[in-house]
Amino acid sequence: LPLLEELAKRSAQNGVEVKLLNAEETLKLANGRYKAGTGDSLEISDAIEKLANAQYNTLKALYTFRAAQIEYLRTIGERYNAN
């Protein structure tokens, strides 16, 4: 069962990490286009918003995973150890 938990955690992490990396890259590209004169500030604002959403979703996914992990441990009569 710990293996299944680890696989679930990694799968969830990979999904949100990919979205976070994509959002960071989108912002980087938008800034580059703006500096080159081919982009506008609206594109940068949109990229910043997407990055903020990706960061929020990353934290939300981690919280949801930890809450489920704690509930599972509580169900089987064990205590959560953060270490």
Side-chain angles (χ1 to χ4, degrees):
L1 203 52
L3 177 61
L4 290 176
E5 288 178 7
E6 186 62 27
L7 289 174
K9 178 182 174 185
R10 287 184 186 179
S11 177
Q13 280 180 328
N14 288 339
V16 293
E17 286 174 3
V18 166
K19 289 179 182 178
L20 185 58
L21 291 173
N22 285 341
E24 289 171 347
E25 184 64 19
T26 298
L27 179 57
K28 182 179 169 183
L29 293 171
N31 278 323
R33 282 191 289 274
Y34 183 78
K35 288 177 184 175
T38 59
D40 59 20
S41 60
L42 180 59
E43 182 182 8
I44 292 174
S45 294
D46 288 344
I48 289 170
E49 181 182 5
K50 287 179 184 173
L51 178 57
N53 286 333
Q55 290 169 333
Y56 168 78
N57 288 334
T58 299
L59 292 174
K60 184 177 173 185
L62 179 59
Y63 172 82
T64 300
F65 172 77
R66 289 286 185 225
Q69 187 180 36
I70 291 167
E71 182 61 29
Y72 168 75
L73 291 173
R74 187 178 304 146
T75 300
I76 63 172
E78 293 186 22
R79 297 189 76 152
Y80 176 73
N81 183 359
N83 298 326

